Amino acid sequence: MLRISQYMRGLMAPASDPPPRAPQGPVVIWNLVRRCNLCCEHCYSISADRDFPGELDTQEVYRVMDDLRAFGVPVLILSGGEPLLRPDLFAIAQRAKTLGFYVGLSSNGTLIGPDNIQRIRDTGFDYVGISQDGTQPIHDRFRRKDGAFAAALNGIRTCRAAGIKVGVRFTLTQGNAADLPAILSLLNEEDVDKFYLSHLNYAGRGNVNRRKDAFLQTTRQAMDRVFDACWNDIERGVQRDYVTGNNDADGVYLLFWIRRRFPRLEQSMRRRLAHWGGNASGTHIANIDNLGNVHPDTYWWHYNLGNVKSRPFSEIWNDTRDPIMAGLKRKPRTIQGRCGACKYFDICGGNTRVRALRITGDPWAEDPGCYLADAEIGIAPGAARVAVTPFRGVQHEPRALVG
């Protein structure tokens, strides 16, 4: 996750280099429930509007939460499915706040309204993230439900009116890239506190629909728009956060943006971005799914590290006998292809392993989602690179796929 606004604000008042990321425990994204009232095209959890048996009950959640706190986990992002469909959500969130976690709510926004906004506010969520993947026709198609855009927009407005910090999440694909300027304008129109652009990752329905991923040039253009919007806000004194995720080439591309505009600050910013270190799956980001399975991040649901019903998260997370965890925690990671040869490897960390895995069957292959040119990253031009191929069914996926 790249906090663009944090780095750009640093351009206004350059500071000393921060220490590398080294919290004791990771940020945990916790899918408390898999049921959802929508059926989105890019959903990594393949959620649906039905109950899924075997989900953690309230007391099991509390027990795991105690272990997470003792382990030093600083942040819980409560997600789904749609977390507001879990009856004990507010009790869980209130307990998390009491224990001292930063608690975020990740929602599609359609169920936020006058019936529950008071409870959402009283619970004290530090942040509510709501998905908006384009203007009304595009968003409704993405979410496979007429009226989803209007309902989500109402959720944003309801949170803002209640004084709750709210953000918009936008998953970039080729089909909605043209709507990005409208969504960036919406941030100003609705006084939204945060914008998060997620690159498409190849998990769940996102893998099935990977043919719809943004083209590499489209991604560059989208990032140019996000950078310009962030910088414009900073110059106007607007306190809004801009964050991107699931493509750690964004850090390198931000460095290129700084090189063009603030060449004297390039080297100091390069050091700061190297301290950030890029992809954090299996190190600073973790996932617990609705059944209690632990994953390196939310896009690894096909690969279980263990289950919190039978083993504490703190033990599972530090167990490098698992080959995937051993590889993710290795510093530096051993990555092949153009990612391994990239002269900015210290910034992006080899990018996203799930895309490499889904396309090649090898989690340590190059990431085909990198949108940087060979010449930009110090690689001789003309070499073949891994290309994204459409999903044609499980029987055609790489046989070496783990999980």
Side-chain angles (χ1 to χ4, degrees), residues 216-247:
L216 302 185
Q217 186 61 34
T218 300
T219 302
R220 293 176 72 102
Q221 293 168 353
M223 293 305 302
D224 287 339
R225 290 191 174 100
V226 173
F227 290 162
D228 289 346
C230 181
W231 185 245
N232 181 258
D233 276 356
I234 290 172
E235 289 189 312
R236 294 187 298 123
V238 175
Q239 293 297 310
R240 179 178 293 122
D241 293 329
Y242 287 80
V243 180
T244 65
N246 302 317
N247 196 322

mmCIF file of all heavy atoms in Angstrom, residues 216-247:
data_model
loop_
_atom_site.group_PDB
_atom_site.id
_atom_site.type_symbol
_atom_site.label_atom_id
_atom_site.label_comp_id
_atom_site.label_asym_id
_atom_site.label_seq_id
_atom_site.Cartn_x
_atom_site.Cartn_y
_atom_site.Cartn_z
ATOM 1 N N LEU A 216 -1.335 -1.716 -19.671
ATOM 2 C CA LEU A 216 -0.223 -1.085 -18.969
ATOM 3 C C LEU A 216 -0.208 0.426 -19.176
ATOM 4 O O LEU A 216 0.012 1.193 -18.235
ATOM 5 C CB LEU A 216 1.098 -1.712 -19.407
ATOM 6 C CG LEU A 216 1.209 -3.233 -19.194
ATOM 7 C CD1 LEU A 216 2.609 -3.717 -19.552
ATOM 8 C CD2 LEU A 216 0.856 -3.620 -17.765
ATOM 9 N N GLN A 217 -0.468 0.880 -20.399
ATOM 10 C CA GLN A 217 -0.487 2.323 -20.651
ATOM 11 C C GLN A 217 -1.662 2.977 -19.947
ATOM 12 O O GLN A 217 -1.564 4.107 -19.445
ATOM 13 C CB GLN A 217 -0.544 2.596 -22.156
ATOM 14 C CG GLN A 217 -0.419 4.070 -22.532
ATOM 15 C CD GLN A 217 0.908 4.684 -22.071
ATOM 16 O OE1 GLN A 217 1.922 4.003 -22.051
ATOM 17 N NE2 GLN A 217 0.888 5.953 -21.682
ATOM 18 N N THR A 218 -2.789 2.287 -19.873
ATOM 19 C CA THR A 218 -3.951 2.806 -19.156
ATOM 20 C C THR A 218 -3.619 3.011 -17.687
ATOM 21 O O THR A 218 -4.014 4.008 -17.063
ATOM 22 C CB THR A 218 -5.141 1.836 -19.284
ATOM 23 O OG1 THR A 218 -5.476 1.692 -20.670
ATOM 24 C CG2 THR A 218 -6.347 2.337 -18.522
ATOM 25 N N THR A 219 -2.870 2.067 -17.108
ATOM 26 C CA THR A 219 -2.477 2.186 -15.704
ATOM 27 C C THR A 219 -1.595 3.395 -15.486
ATOM 28 O O THR A 219 -1.772 4.143 -14.505
ATOM 29 C CB THR A 219 -1.761 0.901 -15.251
ATOM 30 O OG1 THR A 219 -2.624 -0.213 -15.438
ATOM 31 C CG2 THR A 219 -1.375 0.997 -13.785
ATOM 32 N N ARG A 220 -0.654 3.622 -16.371
ATOM 33 C CA ARG A 220 0.219 4.796 -16.242
ATOM 34 C C ARG A 220 -0.615 6.076 -16.276
ATOM 35 O O ARG A 220 -0.394 7.002 -15.471
ATOM 36 C CB ARG A 220 1.250 4.822 -17.373
ATOM 37 C CG ARG A 220 2.271 3.711 -17.327
ATOM 38 C CD ARG A 220 3.194 3.752 -18.536
ATOM 39 N NE ARG A 220 4.123 4.856 -18.489
ATOM 40 C CZ ARG A 220 5.408 4.741 -18.139
ATOM 41 N NH1 ARG A 220 5.909 3.563 -17.805
ATOM 42 N NH2 ARG A 220 6.203 5.793 -18.134
ATOM 43 N N GLN A 221 -1.555 6.154 -17.202
ATOM 44 C CA GLN A 221 -2.391 7.346 -17.307
ATOM 45 C C GLN A 221 -3.239 7.546 -16.052
ATOM 46 O O GLN A 221 -3.415 8.679 -15.579
ATOM 47 C CB GLN A 221 -3.276 7.236 -18.542
ATOM 48 C CG GLN A 221 -2.497 7.285 -19.848
ATOM 49 C CD GLN A 221 -3.333 6.878 -21.053
ATOM 50 O OE1 GLN A 221 -4.480 6.426 -20.924
ATOM 51 N NE2 GLN A 221 -2.769 7.036 -22.245
ATOM 52 N N ALA A 222 -3.733 6.447 -15.501
ATOM 53 C CA ALA A 222 -4.524 6.539 -14.274
ATOM 54 C C ALA A 222 -3.671 7.056 -13.118
ATOM 55 O O ALA A 222 -4.098 7.913 -12.335
ATOM 56 C CB ALA A 222 -5.118 5.180 -13.938
ATOM 57 N N MET A 223 -2.444 6.540 -13.005
ATOM 58 C CA MET A 223 -1.580 6.990 -11.925
ATOM 59 C C MET A 223 -1.191 8.454 -12.099
ATOM 60 O O MET A 223 -1.093 9.201 -11.108
ATOM 61 C CB MET A 223 -0.334 6.107 -11.856
ATOM 62 C CG MET A 223 -0.615 4.667 -11.430
ATOM 63 S SD MET A 223 -1.508 4.554 -9.857
ATOM 64 C CE MET A 223 -0.375 5.415 -8.771
ATOM 65 N N ASP A 224 -0.999 8.901 -13.332
ATOM 66 C CA ASP A 224 -0.717 10.324 -13.575
ATOM 67 C C ASP A 224 -1.866 11.176 -13.037
ATOM 68 O O ASP A 224 -1.640 12.223 -12.403
ATOM 69 C CB ASP A 224 -0.536 10.586 -15.069
ATOM 70 C CG ASP A 224 0.781 10.053 -15.620
ATOM 71 O OD1 ASP A 224 1.716 9.845 -14.818
ATOM 72 O OD2 ASP A 224 0.855 9.828 -16.836
ATOM 73 N N ARG A 225 -3.095 10.731 -13.285
ATOM 74 C CA ARG A 225 -4.258 11.492 -12.805
ATOM 75 C C ARG A 225 -4.316 11.517 -11.278
ATOM 76 O O ARG A 225 -4.626 12.544 -10.675
ATOM 77 C CB ARG A 225 -5.552 10.886 -13.364
ATOM 78 C CG ARG A 225 -5.734 11.088 -14.865
ATOM 79 C CD ARG A 225 -7.136 10.702 -15.305
ATOM 80 N NE ARG A 225 -7.357 11.033 -16.702
ATOM 81 C CZ ARG A 225 -7.290 10.139 -17.703
ATOM 82 N NH1 ARG A 225 -7.006 8.875 -17.427
ATOM 83 N NH2 ARG A 225 -7.496 10.518 -18.946
ATOM 84 N N VAL A 226 -4.030 10.386 -10.664
ATOM 85 C CA VAL A 226 -4.060 10.324 -9.193
ATOM 86 C C VAL A 226 -2.972 11.211 -8.603
ATOM 87 O O VAL A 226 -3.215 11.972 -7.653
ATOM 88 C CB VAL A 226 -3.918 8.870 -8.711
ATOM 89 C CG1 VAL A 226 -3.766 8.820 -7.189
ATOM 90 C CG2 VAL A 226 -5.133 8.048 -9.133
ATOM 91 N N PHE A 227 -1.764 11.139 -9.144
ATOM 92 C CA PHE A 227 -0.672 11.986 -8.648
ATOM 93 C C PHE A 227 -1.034 13.462 -8.773
ATOM 94 O O PHE A 227 -0.828 14.244 -7.840
ATOM 95 C CB PHE A 227 0.617 11.707 -9.421
ATOM 96 C CG PHE A 227 1.239 10.368 -9.154
ATOM 97 C CD1 PHE A 227 2.176 9.846 -10.041
ATOM 98 C CD2 PHE A 227 0.903 9.614 -8.043
ATOM 99 C CE1 PHE A 227 2.770 8.615 -9.806
ATOM 100 C CE2 PHE A 227 1.484 8.371 -7.810
ATOM 101 C CZ PHE A 227 2.424 7.874 -8.689
ATOM 102 N N ASP A 228 -1.569 13.843 -9.937
ATOM 103 C CA ASP A 228 -1.905 15.252 -10.158
ATOM 104 C C ASP A 228 -3.020 15.704 -9.226
ATOM 105 O O ASP A 228 -2.989 16.829 -8.707
ATOM 106 C CB ASP A 228 -2.306 15.478 -11.615
ATOM 107 C CG ASP A 228 -1.126 15.366 -12.579
ATOM 108 O OD1 ASP A 228 0.026 15.385 -12.110
ATOM 109 O OD2 ASP A 228 -1.362 15.244 -13.799
ATOM 110 N N ALA A 229 -4.010 14.838 -8.998
ATOM 111 C CA ALA A 229 -5.102 15.192 -8.095
ATOM 112 C C ALA A 229 -4.590 15.371 -6.675
ATOM 113 O O ALA A 229 -4.976 16.315 -5.962
ATOM 114 C CB ALA A 229 -6.187 14.115 -8.134
ATOM 115 N N CYS A 230 -3.717 14.489 -6.240
ATOM 116 C CA CYS A 230 -3.149 14.587 -4.899
ATOM 117 C C CYS A 230 -2.343 15.870 -4.748
ATOM 118 O O CYS A 230 -2.503 16.608 -3.755
ATOM 119 C CB CYS A 230 -2.289 13.360 -4.618
ATOM 120 S SG CYS A 230 -1.536 13.345 -2.975
ATOM 121 N N TRP A 231 -1.484 16.146 -5.716
ATOM 122 C CA TRP A 231 -0.652 17.341 -5.617
ATOM 123 C C TRP A 231 -1.491 18.609 -5.655
ATOM 124 O O TRP A 231 -1.213 19.596 -4.937
ATOM 125 C CB TRP A 231 0.389 17.348 -6.724
ATOM 126 C CG TRP A 231 1.360 18.489 -6.597
ATOM 127 C CD1 TRP A 231 1.527 19.540 -7.441
ATOM 128 C CD2 TRP A 231 2.299 18.688 -5.532
ATOM 129 N NE1 TRP A 231 2.498 20.388 -6.987
ATOM 130 C CE2 TRP A 231 2.997 19.885 -5.812
ATOM 131 C CE3 TRP A 231 2.615 17.969 -4.383
ATOM 132 C CZ2 TRP A 231 3.984 20.374 -4.969
ATOM 133 C CZ3 TRP A 231 3.602 18.452 -3.538
ATOM 134 C CH2 TRP A 231 4.274 19.649 -3.835
ATOM 135 N N ASN A 232 -2.535 18.615 -6.473
ATOM 136 C CA ASN A 232 -3.435 19.762 -6.533
ATOM 137 C C ASN A 232 -4.096 20.015 -5.186
ATOM 138 O O ASN A 232 -4.208 21.163 -4.734
ATOM 139 C CB ASN A 232 -4.492 19.534 -7.618
ATOM 140 C CG ASN A 232 -5.449 20.707 -7.760
ATOM 141 O OD1 ASN A 232 -6.570 20.675 -7.292
ATOM 142 N ND2 ASN A 232 -4.990 21.753 -8.448
ATOM 143 N N ASP A 233 -4.515 18.941 -4.517
ATOM 144 C CA ASP A 233 -5.109 19.093 -3.185
ATOM 145 C C ASP A 233 -4.102 19.667 -2.198
ATOM 146 O O ASP A 233 -4.429 20.538 -1.385
ATOM 147 C CB ASP A 233 -5.617 17.745 -2.667
ATOM 148 C CG ASP A 233 -7.004 17.399 -3.173
ATOM 149 O OD1 ASP A 233 -7.612 18.231 -3.869
ATOM 150 O OD2 ASP A 233 -7.479 16.283 -2.876
ATOM 151 N N ILE A 234 -2.874 19.181 -2.251
ATOM 152 C CA ILE A 234 -1.838 19.666 -1.330
ATOM 153 C C ILE A 234 -1.585 21.150 -1.554
ATOM 154 O O ILE A 234 -1.498 21.936 -0.601
ATOM 155 C CB ILE A 234 -0.556 18.843 -1.500
ATOM 156 C CG1 ILE A 234 -0.769 17.423 -0.957
ATOM 157 C CG2 ILE A 234 0.626 19.516 -0.788
ATOM 158 C CD1 ILE A 234 0.361 16.465 -1.244
ATOM 159 N N GLU A 235 -1.499 21.565 -2.810
ATOM 160 C CA GLU A 235 -1.263 22.981 -3.106
ATOM 161 C C GLU A 235 -2.424 23.852 -2.646
ATOM 162 O O GLU A 235 -2.226 25.011 -2.276
ATOM 163 C CB GLU A 235 -1.017 23.164 -4.603
ATOM 164 C CG GLU A 235 0.317 22.614 -5.077
ATOM 165 C CD GLU A 235 0.629 23.005 -6.503
ATOM 166 O OE1 GLU A 235 -0.253 22.860 -7.370
ATOM 167 O OE2 GLU A 235 1.757 23.473 -6.748
ATOM 168 N N ARG A 236 -3.638 23.281 -2.651
ATOM 169 C CA ARG A 236 -4.819 24.043 -2.214
ATOM 170 C C ARG A 236 -5.048 23.953 -0.706
ATOM 171 O O ARG A 236 -5.976 24.558 -0.179
ATOM 172 C CB ARG A 236 -6.072 23.537 -2.934
ATOM 173 C CG ARG A 236 -6.079 23.786 -4.432
ATOM 174 C CD ARG A 236 -7.411 23.416 -5.065
ATOM 175 N NE ARG A 236 -7.737 22.007 -4.928
ATOM 176 C CZ ARG A 236 -8.847 21.528 -4.358
ATOM 177 N NH1 ARG A 236 -9.738 22.354 -3.838
ATOM 178 N NH2 ARG A 236 -9.065 20.228 -4.301
ATOM 179 N N GLY A 237 -4.204 23.182 -0.026
ATOM 180 C CA GLY A 237 -4.373 23.045 1.417
ATOM 181 C C GLY A 237 -5.462 22.081 1.825
ATOM 182 O O GLY A 237 -5.914 22.100 2.978
ATOM 183 N N VAL A 238 -5.892 21.215 0.906
ATOM 184 C CA VAL A 238 -6.939 20.232 1.199
ATOM 185 C C VAL A 238 -6.299 19.011 1.857
ATOM 186 O O VAL A 238 -5.364 18.418 1.300
ATOM 187 C CB VAL A 238 -7.687 19.818 -0.080
ATOM 188 C CG1 VAL A 238 -8.692 18.702 0.215
ATOM 189 C CG2 VAL A 238 -8.381 21.022 -0.696
ATOM 190 N N GLN A 239 -6.793 18.634 3.022
ATOM 191 C CA GLN A 239 -6.255 17.475 3.750
ATOM 192 C C GLN A 239 -7.015 16.215 3.326
ATOM 193 O O GLN A 239 -8.015 15.830 3.929
ATOM 194 C CB GLN A 239 -6.378 17.708 5.250
ATOM 195 C CG GLN A 239 -5.508 18.818 5.770
ATOM 196 C CD GLN A 239 -4.031 18.518 5.581
ATOM 197 O OE1 GLN A 239 -3.541 17.441 5.933
ATOM 198 N NE2 GLN A 239 -3.300 19.476 5.022
ATOM 199 N N ARG A 240 -6.543 15.593 2.272
ATOM 200 C CA ARG A 240 -7.160 14.359 1.783
ATOM 201 C C ARG A 240 -6.044 13.337 1.536
ATOM 202 O O ARG A 240 -5.003 13.677 0.997
ATOM 203 C CB ARG A 240 -7.946 14.609 0.500
ATOM 204 C CG ARG A 240 -8.605 13.346 -0.083
ATOM 205 C CD ARG A 240 -9.422 13.663 -1.340
ATOM 206 N NE ARG A 240 -10.567 14.480 -1.026
ATOM 207 C CZ ARG A 240 -10.820 15.677 -1.558
ATOM 208 N NH1 ARG A 240 -9.979 16.208 -2.440
ATOM 209 N NH2 ARG A 240 -11.910 16.345 -1.222
ATOM 210 N N ASP A 241 -6.298 12.109 1.937
ATOM 211 C CA ASP A 241 -5.308 11.058 1.753
ATOM 212 C C ASP A 241 -5.524 10.349 0.418
ATOM 213 O O ASP A 241 -6.667 10.051 0.040
ATOM 214 C CB ASP A 241 -5.401 10.028 2.877
ATOM 215 C CG ASP A 241 -5.000 10.609 4.222
ATOM 216 O OD1 ASP A 241 -4.142 11.509 4.235
ATOM 217 O OD2 ASP A 241 -5.545 10.164 5.247
ATOM 218 N N TYR A 242 -4.432 10.076 -0.270
ATOM 219 C CA TYR A 242 -4.445 9.290 -1.511
ATOM 220 C C TYR A 242 -3.550 8.078 -1.305
ATOM 221 O O TYR A 242 -2.381 8.212 -0.922
ATOM 222 C CB TYR A 242 -3.930 10.114 -2.687
ATOM 223 C CG TYR A 242 -4.886 11.181 -3.169
ATOM 224 C CD1 TYR A 242 -4.990 12.398 -2.500
ATOM 225 C CD2 TYR A 242 -5.678 10.980 -4.298
ATOM 226 C CE1 TYR A 242 -5.862 13.386 -2.934
ATOM 227 C CE2 TYR A 242 -6.554 11.962 -4.748
ATOM 228 C CZ TYR A 242 -6.638 13.164 -4.056
ATOM 229 O OH TYR A 242 -7.512 14.132 -4.487
ATOM 230 N N VAL A 243 -4.116 6.908 -1.558
ATOM 231 C CA VAL A 243 -3.411 5.646 -1.328
ATOM 232 C C VAL A 243 -3.666 4.730 -2.516
ATOM 233 O O VAL A 243 -4.750 4.752 -3.108
ATOM 234 C CB VAL A 243 -3.909 4.968 -0.030
ATOM 235 C CG1 VAL A 243 -3.177 3.661 0.222
ATOM 236 C CG2 VAL A 243 -3.759 5.904 1.163
ATOM 237 N N THR A 244 -2.670 3.946 -2.890
ATOM 238 C CA THR A 244 -2.881 2.911 -3.902
ATOM 239 C C THR A 244 -2.405 1.574 -3.353
ATOM 240 O O THR A 244 -1.600 1.510 -2.425
ATOM 241 C CB THR A 244 -2.128 3.208 -5.215
ATOM 242 O OG1 THR A 244 -0.712 3.184 -4.979
ATOM 243 C CG2 THR A 244 -2.534 4.557 -5.785
ATOM 244 N N GLY A 245 -2.909 0.498 -3.937
ATOM 245 C CA GLY A 245 -2.529 -0.831 -3.487
ATOM 246 C C GLY A 245 -2.555 -1.851 -4.602
ATOM 247 O O GLY A 245 -3.181 -1.643 -5.649
ATOM 248 N N ASN A 246 -1.855 -2.955 -4.390
ATOM 249 C CA ASN A 246 -1.853 -4.130 -5.261
ATOM 250 C C ASN A 246 -1.057 -3.955 -6.544
ATOM 251 O O ASN A 246 -1.170 -4.760 -7.460
ATOM 252 C CB ASN A 246 -3.287 -4.590 -5.577
ATOM 253 C CG ASN A 246 -4.056 -4.907 -4.320
ATOM 254 O OD1 ASN A 246 -3.535 -5.545 -3.415
ATOM 255 N ND2 ASN A 246 -5.292 -4.430 -4.239
ATOM 256 N N ASN A 247 -0.247 -2.907 -6.600
ATOM 257 C CA ASN A 247 0.773 -2.817 -7.655
ATOM 258 C C ASN A 247 1.881 -1.919 -7.130
ATOM 259 O O ASN A 247 1.774 -0.685 -7.171
ATOM 260 C CB ASN A 247 0.215 -2.280 -8.966
ATOM 261 C CG ASN A 247 1.155 -2.555 -10.128
ATOM 262 O OD1 ASN A 247 2.381 -2.475 -9.981
ATOM 263 N ND2 ASN A 247 0.613 -2.908 -11.286
#
